[in-house]
Amino acid sequence: MTENTAEAWPEPPLAGTEAEAILGALERQRATLAWKCSGLDASGLQATVGASTITLGGLLKHLAHVEDSHFARLWLASAAGPPWDTVDWESTPDWDYRSAAEDTPERLLALWQESVARSRAIVDKALGAGGLDQLGAYTTRSGERPNLRRILLDLIEEYARHAGHADLIRESVDGLTGEDPPR
């Protein structure tokens, strides 16, 4: 994985627009995950802490799935593509976490980076066509549709929840701690 330096570390603008602040916060969360997973071999990406079975590799694959499924399902009202479209999620709801042990570190990183790139492209196109209040194509049973703001905020929340897992796991692997890359 690419190491992030303090100079390149994504920071939301202090006084930007709402869209800039939301996207900046999301990019900071993505960078945090990338940094916590950087430089590890398969063993490091498969390490666990305590009773938990969550691994850094599992987090990469899970968040790749979250990136793809949030925008496919909520924004486009379509199914996520490969490899997610071949999974029996009913019988294996934690497939992304479990199957990560079968993937190389390079494959996990590529899967996550490709998912992030697809998400960025969808968001760029959506923002080019309007603002955060635009409604996604997905409709709930009660007739509601999520706006782009809600989808992005849910994605930030998902990353933030898992950043704590990544902190603990990475510290157990090699002692790396902290919230920011070394300066």
Side-chain angles (χ1 to χ4, degrees):
M1 295 213 147
T2 304
E3 292 285 335
N4 286 306
T5 63
E7 296 78 38
W9 195 252
E11 273 298 317
L14 292 176
T17 66
E18 181 184 15
E20 290 168 339
I22 289 171
L23 292 175
L26 178 56
E27 290 302 329
R28 182 172 51 192
Q29 292 299 320
R30 287 172 173 157
T32 299
L33 178 73
W35 180 57
K36 293 297 178 175
C37 296
S38 66
L40 295 176
D41 60 11
S43 176
L45 289 178
Q46 293 175 19
T48 61
V49 175
S52 176
T53 60
I54 293 175
T55 65
L56 291 170
L59 286 174
L60 278 172
K61 196 163 191 176
H62 171 69
L63 287 164
H65 177 240
V66 169
E67 292 268 2
D68 280 338
S69 65
H70 266 54
F71 287 106
R73 185 173 59 85
L74 299 173
W75 188 251
L76 303 171
S78 66
W84 323 116
D85 58 347
T86 61
V87 178
D88 179 359
W89 292 101
E90 295 270 331
S91 66
T92 54
D94 58 351
W95 177 85
D96 43 1
Y97 287 107
R98 289 181 182 219
S99 67
E102 301 164 11
D103 297 316
T104 65
E106 296 78 19
R107 177 64 192 131
L108 290 168
L109 175 60
L111 182 67
W112 178 72
Q113 288 175 330
E114 291 161 4
S115 296
V116 167
R118 281 188 292 276
S119 294
R120 286 180 180 138
I122 289 169
V123 170
D124 286 348
K125 184 176 179 181
L127 288 175
L132 296 170
D133 290 325
Q134 294 177 85
L135 299 177
Y138 175 79
T139 304
T140 67
R141 288 182 207 157
S142 63
E144 293 180 288
R145 293 168 48 199
N147 63 22
L148 184 57
R149 177 185 299 102
R150 172 62 188 266
I151 296 168
L152 289 168
L153 290 173
D154 284 354
L155 199 55
I156 291 168
E157 179 185 2
E158 187 75 12
Y159 271 95
R161 287 178 47 233
H162 292 308
H165 298 124
D167 285 339
L168 293 172
I169 298 166
R170 183 59 189 251
E171 184 176 3
S172 77
V173 171
D174 63 5
L176 182 107
T177 62
E179 296 176 356
D180 292 324
R183 298 189 189 271

